[in-house]
Amino acid sequence: MKRLFGTSGVRGVVGEEITPELFIELGLALATHLGNSGTVIVGRDPRLSGEMLEDSLVSGILSGGCEVRRAGMVPTPVLAFAVRLLGANAGAMITASHNPPEYNGVKFWDSEGVAFAPAVEKEIERIFYEKSGKRVGWQKLGRVGNVDASSGYLKMVTEGIKLSKSYKVVVDCGNGAASPLTPVLLRRIGCKVVSLNCQPDGNFPGRGLEPNEGNLKELSEIVSATGADIGIAHDGDADRAAAVDEKGNFANEDKLLAAVASRNVRKGDIVVTTVESSKVVYDAVGKKGGKVVKTPVGDVSVAEAVKKNSAVFGGEPSGAWIFPEVHLAPDGPLSAIRILQLLDSSSKKLSEILGALPDYPTIRKKMACPNEKKSETMRKIGKELRAEFKGAEILEIDGVRLDLDEGWVLVRPSGTEPYIRITAEGKTEKTAKELVERASEILNKTI
Ligand code: MG
């Protein structure tokens, strides 16, 4: 069966993979999965196709007999939070996260505000492909209302947060879904806020939506120029956060993850992260007596493992972080609060906190491999890699990760592109290079 769902919901280019017709059918499949009753909260990011797709999805849901509450334009974590807070049966967030403006998609949430597990996504796919969506009679069609999802969220996440001083924060929302929310949230906890790209705009004129170093140059400059304590940025739907330190330097994602993850870890606590994470995370968590559980890449896998292991934190180096004491959705605005709490509790500047963590050089390489050959190649290569890296600890939950004393190497097929990626991290640059070379030689032979 063809897959509709990727690592983070259904996603594609509008007018190609993503059409109003598809969204009507997805809405009906969701309502059918819910047993043709209950309430679904629907939200969207500011993409130009958002309103069109929302109307289609809502129409499909209503035809399946479920009620709809429209949350309008909200960040993904606000939508997920509202599902649980308001006792709804599911949530649907229309977004393509950090993808360019021509993309859109949808991600579904269960009644606890957790992203649909892969098994549930498969069930929706089955209904969709078998065309077994069940429409209800005219007397039983669902009704629509609106809901204010942001107020309850803002109240809940800012309650009881007291910082020892007023931090100056530059916030760059990239014209995305958190534009009206994160500046308000930070002011509520006493910060002085300078807003950048905080007008929602589906053309995303301010910058690329991926909150990486290249896209955050302007944020870096403004942090330095205004003498701010920190810069915070989100991706398009604000389930992720990235930071810039007080000197205007982009904060290394693995180190930031390590610092935030370990802040509240006590002996025996579990932290969840993906197979792509750096040793710096394991070191920081281990130092506090905590344990790290690894998952496949993708926030859906991380959320599942956080729940299963009762973890105190779950996160990916991309900046999608889960704080289970509040909820199980990756949450960019809440991450901003936690980063400020990290500064406040350590009484140090961000550059000092991150500077105290070790540097582990990482090298990445991608090798072309046609999509249809990926699984066969990965099967063959597992054996070869085991032979090459004798004595390594092997993990095969998502590609093959081999952990050695001097570093680790991960060989993993790209989820969306015709590549197999090699990532290696070593205690030195030389080791990282060697690990990549050894793995790519084997891959070369196999492809
Ligand atoms: Mg996102």
Side-chain angles (χ1 to χ4, degrees), residues 142-322:
R143 310 299 296 269
V144 191
N146 295 319
V147 69
D148 168 17
S150 298
S151 301
Y153 171 85
L154 276 170
K155 184 168 182 285
M156 179 64 197
V157 295
T158 58
E159 209 157 54
I161 306 272
K162 284 208 170 51
L163 302 174
S164 63
K165 62 171 229 187
S166 177
Y167 291 87
K168 187 168 182 181
V169 188
V170 186
V171 178
D172 180 353
C173 289
N175 306 110
S179 297
L181 185 121
T182 300
V184 172
L185 173 141
L186 291 174
R187 283 187 190 112
R188 247 192 223 193
I189 60 166
C191 295
K192 289 194 262 311
V193 178
V194 178
S195 301
L196 171 66
N197 300 320
C198 285
Q199 313 79 21
D201 185 332
N203 293 298
F204 305 119
R207 61 162 166 90
L209 288 178
E210 181 91 42
N212 58 23
E213 190 170 5
N215 285 333
L216 301 181
K217 292 264 187 281
E218 204 184 355
L219 175 63
S220 291
E221 280 164 23
I222 294 175
V223 168
S224 319
T226 56
D229 296 293
I230 191 168
I232 298 281
H234 296 307
D235 66 332
D237 65 326
D239 59 352
R240 291 161 57 185
V244 164
D245 72 19
E246 78 289 351
K247 294 176 179 167
N249 295 316
F250 181 74
N252 176 287
E253 291 125 317
D254 280 298
K255 287 189 183 182
L256 191 61
L257 171 64
V260 172
S262 63
R263 189 173 88 92
N264 289 327
V265 167
R266 284 170 308 184
K267 198 168 187 291
D269 282 346
I270 289 175
V271 163
V272 174
T273 190
T274 71
V275 291
E276 282 184 328
S277 290
S278 163
K279 179 169 151 55
V280 72
V281 179
Y282 300 81
D283 288 358
V285 173
K287 220 171 160 184
K288 294 280 201 75
K291 203 182 138 223
V292 174
V293 169
K294 294 191 199 94
T295 69
V297 173
D299 61 83
V300 174
S301 302
V302 174
E304 222 183 4
V306 166
K307 198 175 157 185
K308 199 175 124 203
N309 294 288
S310 305
V312 294
F313 175 85
E316 297 192 86
S318 66
W321 301 342
I322 293 169

Side-chain angles (χ1 to χ4, degrees), residues 365-381 411-422 440 442-447:
K365 188 172 178 176
K366 58 181 184 183
M367 300 184 72
C369 178
N371 284 332
E372 62 277 10
K373 272 197 165 176
K374 275 183 195 164
S375 49
E376 193 200 332
T377 307
M378 288 307 299
R379 249 198 320 275
K380 282 187 191 156
I381 202 174
V411 182
R412 182 179 170 268
S414 160
T416 48
E417 295 171 291
Y419 292 110
I420 290 181
R421 298 180 195 280
I422 305 173
S440 61
I442 291 172
L443 199 52
N444 241 338
K445 271 189 257 162
T446 317
I447 300 178

Side-chain angles (χ1 to χ4, degrees), residues 78-125:
V78 172
L79 184 279
F81 186 80
V83 177
R84 199 187 59 188
L85 185 72
L86 302 170
N89 300 82
M93 179 69 193
I94 298 163
T95 177
S97 187
H98 58 274
N99 287 71
E102 64 272 26
Y103 281 77
N104 214 336
V106 64
K107 189 168 171 181
F108 294 129
W109 301 84
D110 70 15
S111 58
E112 292 176 66
V114 185
F116 270 12
V120 184
E121 291 180 340
K122 281 205 172 124
E123 167 67 6
I124 301 281
E125 282 174 347

Side-chain angles (χ1 to χ4, degrees), residues 17 20 42 44 86 113 121 134 140 145 176-177 196 208-209 240 244-245 327 333 340 352 356 369 392 398 404 406 422:
E17 302 94 349
V42 179
R44 57 178 159 81
L86 302 170
E121 291 180 340
K134 197 177 144 213
K140 292 196 170 154
L196 171 66
L209 288 178
R240 291 161 57 185
V244 164
D245 72 19
H327 63 158
L340 280 153
E352 294 167 355
C369 178
D398 188 3
L404 299 138
E406 66 267 30
I422 305 173

